[in-house]
Amino acid sequence: MALLRVPNFDRQGLFQSLNKLLGQAKTEAPDNLQPLLGMIMVDIKNFTSINRVYDFKHGDLLLYFVFQRLAEYTASKDCVFRVGSDEFAVIVPQLESSGRIVLEANNLLDTLRQPYEWQGQEISVDVSLGCIAMSAVGTTAERLLSSAEHMLQRAKLENHSICFGTDSEAERDDSTWLLEQDLLRAMHNNELDMVFQPKMDLQSGTPTHAEALLRWEHPERGYISPDFLVEMVARLNREFELTKWVLHTALRRIKQWPDRWGLNGVAVNIPANIVQHADFCQLVDDSLHIWQVQPRQLTLEITENAIMENQQASFSNLDYLKGRGVKISIDDFGTGYSSLQYFKTIPATELKIDQSFVLNMADNNDDRNIAESIIQLAHRFGLKVVAEGVEDGEVLRELKDLGCDYAQGYFISRPLSHERYCEWLAGYQVNREQGTGNREQGTMNNEQ
Ligand code: C2E
Ligand code: MG
Ligand code: MG
């Protein structure tokens, strides 16, 4: 029993071994060869359960067994180190190729998953592995360890058994991490921006509402697309915070718009996870109340996939909000599930035909037929229809002929800053000939 000693934490030993190998690679490698060094981080997934269900003695024993297996696998104790309570680092020297580390990790996974026997009892463990392969020339022990740790975190977060990365992937992840930090700082310091793109009532030719679109100008990297930004926010689990900011900013702005064309409306995009969130209805109610905006002035744009993810929770939230008078629009319609079942049950008031069908409608019969079918079907079920991505006058006229209710797109106006939108509204003229009023031209990014 005296031999069954729990391995000590030995980060220092790990660094010594790594530095030795890196030094050798630099001095001994022929000029035309880039020696590769690999590292595998191992984390025992159910270690706390083992300590709880059995006892700490079993836990310690397991650590000992895992360490032994790793040492046997590498045939060297100088390549295996305990670096956390249930975490081990394994050095894999002299890799022939970076892909080889994945093979090694798979073998190690099989080895570690074999049951452990002690006093007639069998215990099985599951592990997560993060592995990295790097050129031994030009890297450091710290970089190897932090990159392998990073791959392990990714494996744990994304629920993979093994996560593998190379030098450039680690660098890319570092750069994403830095960008995420900048985004969190921008959110905290209120540095995000919002632009507004008008939607026009096709029958009356008047602007009725605008879609609020998120903008972020990174101080060094420049324009970051909102799609990418929203994806980052989801990864960071800050979607609720962002939606709160978007709703409050949009409703605050609407109060400042000139009401020359009647009661102004604003549409905001709501991410999938928020549609089903237990506090979503409260958030909408509170923001309407704080900014004294009527529910019918607010449209929530939601993608089809968002509703389908957790139908029960989403439908119940949307039913409540629709009952309050808030408008619910299905964004990018035609690109997701688009099931006919939809029309019977969906708590929506409006469909937005995806711009992929609208952009070339004038030249493409299939697109035109799809748009026409969506309009007819939606109307039969009492839903309004918005066409997004209207870039020319011919498409606008066709949509009007097909009975589409609203249009949005560069032909009418690019997204505008709050100030420019106020000016645009004030100067808008109904031009029934052209089907539109004052067109706001510009390029994608000089919309302000
Ligand atoms: P979306 O909700 O479908 O927004 C419409 C997108 O189409 C906008 O891109 C808009 O600028 C663009 N667009 C408008 N008219 C035209 C046109 O005539 N031609 C072309 N080619 N494009 C046109 P944007 O602003 O880059 O936004 C992309 C997506 O990012 C949005 O798609 C939405 O899913 C998301 N997004 C934007 N703002 C927010 C926000 O505040 N919250 C959330 N959750 N998502 C947002
Ligand atoms: Mg939208
Ligand atoms: Mg859309």
Side-chain angles (χ1 to χ4, degrees):
M1 199 60 194
L3 285 173
L4 304 187
R5 282 232 347 262
V6 184
N8 292 327
F9 292 115
D10 194 7
R11 209 168 268 264
Q12 209 187 345
L14 171 69
F15 277 114
Q16 271 170 7
S17 262
L18 277 175
N19 282 325
K20 194 170 143 204
L21 286 164
L22 289 170
Q24 277 171 1
K26 272 172 209 146
T27 50
E28 292 166 19
D31 285 346
N32 59 348
L33 221 130
Q34 283 274 318
L36 286 168
L37 196 56
M39 178 158 224
I40 304 175
M41 299 294 298
V42 179
D43 176 89
I44 305 174
K45 272 191 192 168
N46 47 355
F47 189 62
T48 34
S49 315
I50 288 159
N51 270 338
R52 197 184 62 242
V53 175
Y54 300 97
D55 52 32
F56 284 96
K57 232 161 77 190
H58 276 77
D60 287 351
L61 197 66
L62 188 72
L63 291 174
Y64 169 82
F65 282 144
V66 168
F67 185 80
Q68 286 302 111
R69 266 198 204 166
L70 292 171
E72 271 163 34
Y73 181 83
T74 57
S76 161
K77 279 203 160 101
D78 289 343
C79 286
V80 182
F81 300 89
R82 184 176 172 214
V83 289
S85 60
D86 58 353
E87 227 179 87
F88 298 88
V90 179
I91 305 173
V92 187
Q94 289 159 357
L95 279 173
E96 306 119 50
S97 68
S98 57
R100 174 89 204 174
I101 191 82
V102 183
L103 197 73
E104 297 284 348
N106 268 299
N107 290 342
L108 212 53
L109 185 70
D110 287 343
T111 307
L112 294 173
R113 277 179 171 169
Q114 302 294 323
Y116 297 82
E117 271 187 41
W118 184 56
Q119 293 184 349
Q121 278 199 68
E122 253 192 18
I123 299 177
S124 290
V125 296
D126 201 5
V127 288
S128 302
L129 304 185
C131 50
I132 189 93
M134 282 190 171
S135 156
V137 181
T139 195
T140 60
E142 284 83 2
R143 175 131 189 94
L144 254 167
L145 179 62
S146 70
S147 300
E149 285 266 16
H150 180 69
M151 291 303 150
L152 177 62
Q153 287 314 315
R154 241 171 69 180
K156 289 202 294 197
L157 267 175
E158 294 168 13
N159 222 1
H160 297 301
S161 300
I162 299 174
C163 203
F164 159 67
T166 56
D167 229 342
S168 53
E169 274 164 299
E171 256 172 44
R172 213 173 38 238
D173 280 349
D174 286 356
S175 139
T176 307
W177 189 84
L178 289 171
L179 189 62
E180 286 173 353
Q181 290 302 308
D182 289 342
L183 173 61
L184 290 174
R185 210 170 303 123
M187 283 173 73
H188 185 251
N189 296 339
N190 204 14
E191 287 164 5
L192 297 181
D193 207 355
M194 183 176 276
V195 289
F196 301 91
Q197 188 179 32
K199 290 192 201 176
M200 188 177 79
D201 182 325
L202 275 173
Q203 304 316 315
S204 67
T206 56
T208 50
H209 50 305
E211 177 172 9
L213 296 160
L214 203 55
R215 289 294 177 267
W216 184 35
E217 195 73 25
H218 187 276
E220 280 114 42
R221 303 191 199 201
Y223 176 79
I224 308 281
S225 93
D227 278 323
F228 186 68
L229 193 153
V230 168
E231 238 178 73
M232 259 198 298
V233 173
R235 267 203 310 272
L236 293 164
N237 235 330
R238 299 293 183 99
E239 285 164 303
F240 196 85
E241 202 178 319
L242 177 77
T243 308
K244 187 172 176 182
W245 181 85
V246 167
L247 264 168
H248 280 270
T249 310
L251 296 183
R252 176 167 64 91
R253 288 307 197 189
I254 203 177
K255 298 296 286 181
Q256 301 162 346
W257 294 342
D259 55 4
R260 184 171 157 226
W261 299 102
L263 198 62
N264 284 301
V266 73
V268 297
N269 292 285
I270 307 293
N273 282 339
I274 300 306
V275 180
Q276 49 192 270
H277 198 287
D279 299 328
F280 178 47
C281 295
Q282 191 66 51
L283 172 67
V284 176
D285 275 341
D286 288 349
S287 48
L288 286 169
H289 178 71
I290 288 169
W291 299 106
Q292 290 294 294
V293 172
Q294 295 184 32
R296 70 192 163 105
Q297 290 177 273
L298 175 66
T299 302
L300 304 173
E301 293 197 5
I302 289 149
T303 60
E304 295 174 70
N305 303 3
I307 306 179
M308 291 308 168
E309 254 173 41
N310 183 350
Q311 234 193 66
Q312 211 180 357
S314 306
F315 272 39
S316 127
N317 278 350
L318 295 179
D319 271 329
Y320 168 82
L321 292 165
K322 191 179 160 195
R324 289 267 288 117
V326 172
K327 293 176 186 150
I328 314 289
S329 180
I330 308 302
D331 207 350
D332 306 338
F333 188 79
T335 57
Y337 293 86
S338 305
S339 139
L340 286 178
Q341 177 70 11
Y342 237 56
F343 290 93
K344 243 175 44 188
T345 47
I346 203 156
T349 48
E350 177 185 287
L351 294 187
K352 268 186 107 168
I353 311 175
D354 188 66
Q355 49 178 273
S356 58
F357 304 116
V358 178
L359 285 169
N360 305 311
M361 233 182 80
D363 309 317
N364 185 318
N365 257 343
D366 289 344
D367 286 350
R368 191 184 183 281
N369 289 338
I370 290 172
E372 184 173 13
S373 311
I374 295 177
I375 294 168
Q376 285 174 356
L377 205 57
H379 282 168
R380 203 156 291 161
F381 285 87
L383 300 168
K384 297 276 186 199
V385 184
V386 185
E388 64 178 5
V390 180
E391 291 192 355
D392 62 71
E394 204 182 328
V395 169
L396 193 83
R397 274 188 294 278
E398 280 205 30
L399 285 163
K400 197 175 166 193
D401 291 345
L402 292 176
C404 184
D405 303 284
Y406 303 99
Q408 175 184 353
Y410 296 166
F411 182 71
I412 300 158
S413 171
R414 297 262 168 179
L416 306 167
S417 68
H418 160 70
E419 293 75 19
R420 291 284 301 278
Y421 183 56
C422 288
E423 287 164 21
W424 186 91
L425 273 178
Y428 187 88
Q429 303 291 333
V430 177
N431 180 344
R432 289 186 193 280
E433 282 298 295
Q434 260 202 322
T436 179
N438 44 329
R439 284 165 46 201
E440 183 76 29
Q441 300 290 359
T443 61
M444 268 297 271
N445 299 328
N446 70 354
E447 37 193 30
Q448 329 271 323

Short mmCIF file of all heavy atoms in Angstrom, two decimals, residues 18-67:
data_model
loop_
_atom_site.label_atom_id
_atom_site.label_comp_id
_atom_site.label_asym_id
_atom_site.label_seq_id
_atom_site.Cartn_x
_atom_site.Cartn_y
_atom_site.Cartn_z
N LEU A 18 10.12 19.95 -20.57
CA LEU A 18 9.81 20.62 -21.83
C LEU A 18 10.99 21.47 -22.30
O LEU A 18 11.37 21.42 -23.47
CB LEU A 18 8.59 21.53 -21.65
CG LEU A 18 7.22 20.87 -21.76
CD1 LEU A 18 6.12 21.87 -21.45
CD2 LEU A 18 7.00 20.30 -23.17
N ASN A 19 11.57 22.22 -21.38
CA ASN A 19 12.69 23.09 -21.76
C ASN A 19 13.87 22.28 -22.26
O ASN A 19 14.56 22.68 -23.21
CB ASN A 19 13.09 23.99 -20.59
CG ASN A 19 12.10 25.14 -20.45
OD1 ASN A 19 11.59 25.64 -21.45
ND2 ASN A 19 11.80 25.53 -19.22
N LYS A 20 14.07 21.12 -21.63
CA LYS A 20 15.17 20.26 -22.07
C LYS A 20 14.94 19.80 -23.52
O LYS A 20 15.81 19.91 -24.38
CB LYS A 20 15.26 19.04 -21.13
CG LYS A 20 16.52 18.25 -21.26
CD LYS A 20 16.60 17.24 -20.14
CE LYS A 20 17.23 15.97 -20.65
NZ LYS A 20 16.88 14.80 -19.89
N LEU A 21 13.72 19.34 -23.78
CA LEU A 21 13.38 18.86 -25.13
C LEU A 21 13.45 19.99 -26.16
O LEU A 21 13.94 19.80 -27.27
CB LEU A 21 11.97 18.25 -25.15
CG LEU A 21 11.86 16.88 -24.49
CD1 LEU A 21 10.41 16.52 -24.20
CD2 LEU A 21 12.49 15.81 -25.38
N LEU A 22 12.97 21.17 -25.77
CA LEU A 22 12.99 22.30 -26.70
C LEU A 22 14.44 22.71 -27.01
O LEU A 22 14.78 23.00 -28.16
CB LEU A 22 12.22 23.50 -26.12
CG LEU A 22 10.70 23.33 -26.05
CD1 LEU A 22 10.06 24.45 -25.24
CD2 LEU A 22 10.09 23.30 -27.45
N GLY A 23 15.29 22.68 -25.98
CA GLY A 23 16.71 23.01 -26.16
C GLY A 23 17.37 22.02 -27.10
O GLY A 23 18.09 22.40 -28.04
N GLN A 24 17.08 20.72 -26.88
CA GLN A 24 17.67 19.68 -27.74
C GLN A 24 17.24 19.89 -29.19
O GLN A 24 18.04 19.77 -30.12
CB GLN A 24 17.19 18.30 -27.28
CG GLN A 24 18.00 17.76 -26.12
CD GLN A 24 17.36 16.50 -25.56
OE1 GLN A 24 16.33 16.02 -26.04
NE2 GLN A 24 17.97 15.97 -24.52
N ALA A 25 15.93 20.18 -29.37
CA ALA A 25 15.40 20.34 -30.73
C ALA A 25 16.14 21.47 -31.44
O ALA A 25 16.47 21.37 -32.62
CB ALA A 25 13.91 20.64 -30.68
N LYS A 26 16.40 22.55 -30.70
CA LYS A 26 17.05 23.71 -31.33
C LYS A 26 18.47 23.41 -31.73
O LYS A 26 18.94 23.81 -32.79
CB LYS A 26 17.01 24.90 -30.37
CG LYS A 26 15.75 25.71 -30.54
CD LYS A 26 15.59 26.77 -29.50
CE LYS A 26 14.11 27.01 -29.28
NZ LYS A 26 13.76 27.34 -27.94
N THR A 27 19.20 22.65 -30.88
CA THR A 27 20.61 22.43 -31.18
C THR A 27 20.83 21.22 -32.07
O THR A 27 21.73 21.21 -32.90
CB THR A 27 21.41 22.25 -29.87
OG1 THR A 27 20.74 21.26 -29.08
CG2 THR A 27 21.55 23.54 -29.10
N GLU A 28 19.97 20.20 -31.95
CA GLU A 28 20.26 18.95 -32.66
C GLU A 28 19.54 18.79 -33.99
O GLU A 28 19.94 17.98 -34.82
CB GLU A 28 19.90 17.75 -31.76
CG GLU A 28 20.83 17.67 -30.56
CD GLU A 28 20.30 16.73 -29.49
OE1 GLU A 28 19.44 15.89 -29.81
OE2 GLU A 28 20.75 16.85 -28.34
N ALA A 29 18.44 19.54 -34.18
CA ALA A 29 17.65 19.31 -35.41
C ALA A 29 18.41 19.80 -36.63
O ALA A 29 18.98 20.88 -36.60
CB ALA A 29 16.32 20.05 -35.31
N PRO A 30 18.44 18.98 -37.72
CA PRO A 30 19.06 19.46 -38.95
C PRO A 30 18.32 20.69 -39.47
O PRO A 30 17.13 20.87 -39.21
CB PRO A 30 18.88 18.29 -39.93
CG PRO A 30 18.26 17.18 -39.16
CD PRO A 30 17.84 17.67 -37.83
N ASP A 31 19.03 21.55 -40.22
CA ASP A 31 18.46 22.82 -40.66
C ASP A 31 17.18 22.66 -41.45
O ASP A 31 16.28 23.48 -41.38
CB ASP A 31 19.48 23.58 -41.53
CG ASP A 31 20.57 24.17 -40.63
OD1 ASP A 31 20.35 24.18 -39.40
OD2 ASP A 31 21.61 24.57 -41.17
N ASN A 32 17.10 21.56 -42.24
CA ASN A 32 15.94 21.41 -43.12
C ASN A 32 14.77 20.71 -42.42
O ASN A 32 13.79 20.35 -43.04
CB ASN A 32 16.33 20.63 -44.38
CG ASN A 32 16.89 19.26 -44.03
OD1 ASN A 32 17.18 18.98 -42.85
ND2 ASN A 32 17.01 18.40 -45.02
N LEU A 33 14.88 20.44 -41.13
CA LEU A 33 13.81 19.72 -40.44
C LEU A 33 13.20 20.57 -39.34
O LEU A 33 13.91 21.26 -38.60
CB LEU A 33 14.40 18.45 -39.83
CG LEU A 33 13.51 17.22 -39.98
CD1 LEU A 33 14.34 16.09 -40.56
CD2 LEU A 33 12.94 16.81 -38.64
N GLN A 34 11.89 20.55 -39.26
CA GLN A 34 11.17 21.29 -38.22
C GLN A 34 10.64 20.28 -37.22
O GLN A 34 9.55 19.74 -37.40
CB GLN A 34 9.99 22.05 -38.83
CG GLN A 34 10.36 23.30 -39.58
CD GLN A 34 10.45 24.50 -38.64
OE1 GLN A 34 9.62 24.67 -37.76
NE2 GLN A 34 11.49 25.30 -38.81
N PRO A 35 11.38 19.94 -36.17
CA PRO A 35 10.90 18.90 -35.25
C PRO A 35 9.62 19.35 -34.54
O PRO A 35 9.48 20.52 -34.20
CB PRO A 35 12.05 18.74 -34.25
CG PRO A 35 12.84 19.98 -34.36
CD PRO A 35 12.64 20.54 -35.72
N LEU A 36 8.72 18.40 -34.37
CA LEU A 36 7.43 18.72 -33.74
C LEU A 36 7.38 18.15 -32.34
O LEU A 36 7.86 17.04 -32.08
CB LEU A 36 6.29 18.10 -34.55
CG LEU A 36 5.93 18.76 -35.86
CD1 LEU A 36 4.98 17.86 -36.66
CD2 LEU A 36 5.26 20.10 -35.61
N LEU A 37 6.78 18.91 -31.46
CA LEU A 37 6.62 18.45 -30.09
C LEU A 37 5.11 18.44 -29.80
O LEU A 37 4.40 19.37 -30.16
CB LEU A 37 7.32 19.44 -29.16
CG LEU A 37 7.61 18.99 -27.74
CD1 LEU A 37 8.42 17.71 -27.72
CD2 LEU A 37 8.38 20.09 -26.99
N GLY A 38 4.65 17.34 -29.17
CA GLY A 38 3.22 17.25 -28.89
C GLY A 38 2.95 17.24 -27.40
O GLY A 38 3.83 16.92 -26.59
N MET A 39 1.75 17.66 -27.05
CA MET A 39 1.38 17.62 -25.64
C MET A 39 -0.10 17.23 -25.53
O MET A 39 -0.93 17.74 -26.29
CB MET A 39 1.62 18.98 -25.02
CG MET A 39 1.20 19.01 -23.60
SD MET A 39 2.11 20.32 -22.93
CE MET A 39 2.67 19.89 -21.61
N ILE A 40 -0.38 16.32 -24.60
CA ILE A 40 -1.77 15.91 -24.38
C ILE A 40 -2.15 16.22 -22.94
O ILE A 40 -1.45 15.79 -22.02
CB ILE A 40 -1.97 14.40 -24.66
CG1 ILE A 40 -1.50 14.05 -26.08
CG2 ILE A 40 -3.42 13.99 -24.46
CD1 ILE A 40 -1.53 12.56 -26.41
N MET A 41 -3.20 16.97 -22.76
CA MET A 41 -3.71 17.24 -21.41
C MET A 41 -4.86 16.28 -21.15
O MET A 41 -5.73 16.12 -22.01
CB MET A 41 -4.23 18.66 -21.27
CG MET A 41 -3.22 19.74 -21.51
SD MET A 41 -1.92 19.77 -20.29
CE MET A 41 -2.87 20.12 -18.83
N VAL A 42 -4.86 15.68 -19.97
CA VAL A 42 -5.89 14.69 -19.64
C VAL A 42 -6.67 15.18 -18.43
O VAL A 42 -6.07 15.56 -17.42
CB VAL A 42 -5.24 13.33 -19.29
CG1 VAL A 42 -6.29 12.29 -18.93
CG2 VAL A 42 -4.35 12.85 -20.42
N ASP A 43 -7.99 15.16 -18.54
CA ASP A 43 -8.82 15.55 -17.39
C ASP A 43 -9.79 14.40 -17.10
O ASP A 43 -10.46 13.90 -18.01
CB ASP A 43 -9.60 16.82 -17.74
CG ASP A 43 -10.54 17.23 -16.63
OD1 ASP A 43 -10.10 17.97 -15.74
OD2 ASP A 43 -11.72 16.79 -16.64
N ILE A 44 -9.85 13.99 -15.83
CA ILE A 44 -10.79 12.91 -15.48
C ILE A 44 -12.16 13.55 -15.29
O ILE A 44 -12.34 14.42 -14.46
CB ILE A 44 -10.35 12.19 -14.19
CG1 ILE A 44 -8.91 11.69 -14.35
CG2 ILE A 44 -11.29 11.05 -13.87
CD1 ILE A 44 -8.32 11.08 -13.09
N LYS A 45 -13.13 13.06 -16.11
CA LYS A 45 -14.43 13.74 -16.13
C LYS A 45 -15.22 13.55 -14.84
O LYS A 45 -15.81 14.47 -14.33
CB LYS A 45 -15.26 13.20 -17.30
CG LYS A 45 -15.05 13.93 -18.60
CD LYS A 45 -16.12 13.47 -19.57
CE LYS A 45 -15.84 13.92 -20.99
NZ LYS A 45 -16.72 13.25 -21.93
N ASN A 46 -15.27 12.29 -14.37
CA ASN A 46 -16.19 12.03 -13.25
C ASN A 46 -15.45 11.88 -11.92
O ASN A 46 -15.85 11.11 -11.06
CB ASN A 46 -17.04 10.79 -13.54
CG ASN A 46 -16.18 9.64 -14.05
OD1 ASN A 46 -14.98 9.80 -14.27
ND2 ASN A 46 -16.77 8.48 -14.22
N PHE A 47 -14.38 12.62 -11.77
CA PHE A 47 -13.55 12.43 -10.56
C PHE A 47 -14.29 12.82 -9.28
O PHE A 47 -14.23 12.11 -8.28
CB PHE A 47 -12.26 13.25 -10.70
CG PHE A 47 -11.27 12.94 -9.62
CD1 PHE A 47 -10.73 11.67 -9.49
CD2 PHE A 47 -10.88 13.92 -8.72
CE1 PHE A 47 -9.82 11.37 -8.49
CE2 PHE A 47 -9.98 13.63 -7.71
CZ PHE A 47 -9.44 12.36 -7.59
N THR A 48 -15.04 13.90 -9.31
CA THR A 48 -15.76 14.31 -8.09
C THR A 48 -16.79 13.26 -7.70
O THR A 48 -17.00 13.00 -6.51
CB THR A 48 -16.47 15.67 -8.26
OG1 THR A 48 -16.92 15.77 -9.59
CG2 THR A 48 -15.58 16.84 -7.93
N SER A 49 -17.43 12.62 -8.69
CA SER A 49 -18.42 11.58 -8.37
C SER A 49 -17.72 10.41 -7.69
O SER A 49 -18.26 9.81 -6.75
CB SER A 49 -19.11 11.05 -9.62
OG SER A 49 -19.47 12.09 -10.44
N ILE A 50 -16.51 10.09 -8.17
CA ILE A 50 -15.78 8.95 -7.57
C ILE A 50 -15.45 9.25 -6.11
O ILE A 50 -15.67 8.43 -5.22
CB ILE A 50 -14.52 8.63 -8.41
CG1 ILE A 50 -14.98 7.99 -9.72
CG2 ILE A 50 -13.56 7.70 -7.66
CD1 ILE A 50 -14.02 8.06 -10.84
N ASN A 51 -14.99 10.47 -5.85
CA ASN A 51 -14.71 10.87 -4.46
C ASN A 51 -15.97 10.83 -3.61
O ASN A 51 -15.94 10.45 -2.44
CB ASN A 51 -14.17 12.30 -4.44
CG ASN A 51 -12.65 12.33 -4.56
OD1 ASN A 51 -11.99 11.34 -4.26
ND2 ASN A 51 -12.11 13.45 -5.00
N ARG A 52 -17.10 11.25 -4.21
CA ARG A 52 -18.34 11.35 -3.43
C ARG A 52 -18.95 9.96 -3.19
O ARG A 52 -19.26 9.60 -2.07
CB ARG A 52 -19.33 12.24 -4.20
CG ARG A 52 -20.47 12.76 -3.35
CD ARG A 52 -21.46 13.56 -4.16
NE ARG A 52 -22.11 12.76 -5.20
CZ ARG A 52 -21.99 13.02 -6.50
NH1 ARG A 52 -21.28 14.03 -6.92
NH2 ARG A 52 -22.62 12.26 -7.37
N VAL A 53 -19.07 9.17 -4.27
CA VAL A 53 -19.77 7.88 -4.17
C VAL A 53 -18.93 6.87 -3.38
O VAL A 53 -19.46 6.16 -2.54
CB VAL A 53 -20.09 7.34 -5.58
CG1 VAL A 53 -20.69 5.95 -5.52
CG2 VAL A 53 -21.02 8.30 -6.30
N TYR A 54 -17.64 6.81 -3.65
CA TYR A 54 -16.78 5.91 -2.88
C TYR A 54 -16.21 6.73 -1.73
O TYR A 54 -16.93 7.07 -0.81
CB TYR A 54 -15.68 5.33 -3.79
CG TYR A 54 -16.25 4.55 -4.95
CD1 TYR A 54 -16.41 5.15 -6.20
CD2 TYR A 54 -16.64 3.22 -4.80
CE1 TYR A 54 -16.96 4.43 -7.25
CE2 TYR A 54 -17.18 2.50 -5.86
CZ TYR A 54 -17.33 3.12 -7.08
OH TYR A 54 -17.88 2.42 -8.13
N ASP A 55 -14.96 7.06 -1.77
CA ASP A 55 -14.40 7.96 -0.77
C ASP A 55 -13.09 8.52 -1.33
O ASP A 55 -12.70 8.17 -2.44
CB ASP A 55 -14.15 7.24 0.58
CG ASP A 55 -13.35 5.98 0.37
OD1 ASP A 55 -12.51 5.96 -0.55
OD2 ASP A 55 -13.55 5.00 1.11
N PHE A 56 -12.44 9.38 -0.56
CA PHE A 56 -11.22 10.03 -1.08
C PHE A 56 -10.10 9.03 -1.32
O PHE A 56 -9.25 9.22 -2.18
CB PHE A 56 -10.78 11.15 -0.14
CG PHE A 56 -11.63 12.36 -0.27
CD1 PHE A 56 -12.70 12.59 0.59
CD2 PHE A 56 -11.41 13.27 -1.29
CE1 PHE A 56 -13.51 13.70 0.44
CE2 PHE A 56 -12.21 14.39 -1.44
CZ PHE A 56 -13.27 14.60 -0.57
N LYS A 57 -10.13 7.92 -0.51
CA LYS A 57 -9.08 6.91 -0.68
C LYS A 57 -9.17 6.31 -2.09
O LYS A 57 -8.16 6.13 -2.76
CB LYS A 57 -9.24 5.81 0.39
CG LYS A 57 -7.95 5.57 1.14
CD LYS A 57 -8.11 4.88 2.44
CE LYS A 57 -8.34 3.40 2.29
NZ LYS A 57 -8.72 2.77 3.55
N HIS A 58 -10.41 6.04 -2.51
CA HIS A 58 -10.59 5.51 -3.86
C HIS A 58 -10.17 6.56 -4.90
O HIS A 58 -9.59 6.24 -5.92
CB HIS A 58 -12.06 5.15 -4.11
CG HIS A 58 -12.42 3.79 -3.60
ND1 HIS A 58 -12.63 3.54 -2.28
CD2 HIS A 58 -12.58 2.62 -4.25
CE1 HIS A 58 -12.93 2.27 -2.13
NE2 HIS A 58 -12.90 1.67 -3.31
N GLY A 59 -10.50 7.81 -4.59
CA GLY A 59 -10.13 8.90 -5.50
C GLY A 59 -8.61 8.95 -5.68
O GLY A 59 -8.10 9.00 -6.80
N ASP A 60 -7.90 8.90 -4.53
CA ASP A 60 -6.42 8.94 -4.58
C ASP A 60 -5.87 7.77 -5.38
O ASP A 60 -4.94 7.90 -6.18
CB ASP A 60 -5.85 8.89 -3.17
CG ASP A 60 -6.07 10.20 -2.44
OD1 ASP A 60 -6.50 11.15 -3.11
OD2 ASP A 60 -5.81 10.27 -1.23
N LEU A 61 -6.49 6.62 -5.12
CA LEU A 61 -6.02 5.41 -5.79
C LEU A 61 -6.19 5.53 -7.31
O LEU A 61 -5.32 5.13 -8.08
CB LEU A 61 -6.86 4.24 -5.26
CG LEU A 61 -6.29 2.87 -5.53
CD1 LEU A 61 -4.99 2.69 -4.75
CD2 LEU A 61 -7.30 1.82 -5.10
N LEU A 62 -7.30 6.10 -7.67
CA LEU A 62 -7.57 6.26 -9.09
C LEU A 62 -6.52 7.17 -9.74
O LEU A 62 -6.01 6.88 -10.82
CB LEU A 62 -8.96 6.86 -9.28
CG LEU A 62 -9.39 6.89 -10.73
CD1 LEU A 62 -9.71 5.49 -11.22
CD2 LEU A 62 -10.58 7.79 -10.90
N LEU A 63 -6.18 8.24 -9.04
CA LEU A 63 -5.16 9.15 -9.57
C LEU A 63 -3.85 8.39 -9.78
O LEU A 63 -3.15 8.57 -10.78
CB LEU A 63 -4.92 10.32 -8.61
CG LEU A 63 -6.07 11.32 -8.49
CD1 LEU A 63 -5.77 12.34 -7.39
CD2 LEU A 63 -6.30 12.04 -9.81
N TYR A 64 -3.54 7.53 -8.82
CA TYR A 64 -2.32 6.74 -8.92
C TYR A 64 -2.37 5.83 -10.15
O TYR A 64 -1.43 5.78 -10.95
CB TYR A 64 -2.14 5.90 -7.64
CG TYR A 64 -1.06 4.87 -7.75
CD1 TYR A 64 0.28 5.22 -7.55
CD2 TYR A 64 -1.37 3.55 -8.08
CE1 TYR A 64 1.28 4.28 -7.69
CE2 TYR A 64 -0.37 2.60 -8.22
CZ TYR A 64 0.95 2.97 -8.02
OH TYR A 64 1.94 2.03 -8.16
N PHE A 65 -3.54 5.14 -10.31
CA PHE A 65 -3.67 4.21 -11.44
C PHE A 65 -3.59 4.93 -12.79
O PHE A 65 -2.94 4.47 -13.71
CB PHE A 65 -5.02 3.47 -11.37
CG PHE A 65 -5.03 2.36 -10.36
CD1 PHE A 65 -6.18 2.09 -9.62
CD2 PHE A 65 -3.91 1.55 -10.15
CE1 PHE A 65 -6.22 1.06 -8.70
CE2 PHE A 65 -3.95 0.53 -9.23
CZ PHE A 65 -5.09 0.28 -8.50
N VAL A 66 -4.25 6.08 -12.86
CA VAL A 66 -4.23 6.82 -14.12
C VAL A 66 -2.80 7.25 -14.44
O VAL A 66 -2.31 7.09 -15.56
CB VAL A 66 -5.17 8.06 -14.05
CG1 VAL A 66 -4.95 9.00 -15.23
CG2 VAL A 66 -6.63 7.61 -14.03
N PHE A 67 -2.10 7.74 -13.42
CA PHE A 67 -0.72 8.17 -13.61
C PHE A 67 0.14 7.00 -14.11
O PHE A 67 0.92 7.14 -15.05
CB PHE A 67 -0.17 8.71 -12.28
CG PHE A 67 1.21 9.28 -12.40
CD1 PHE A 67 1.40 10.56 -12.90
CD2 PHE A 67 2.33 8.53 -12.03
CE1 PHE A 67 2.68 11.09 -13.01
CE2 PHE A 67 3.61 9.05 -12.16
CZ PHE A 67 3.78 10.34 -12.65
#
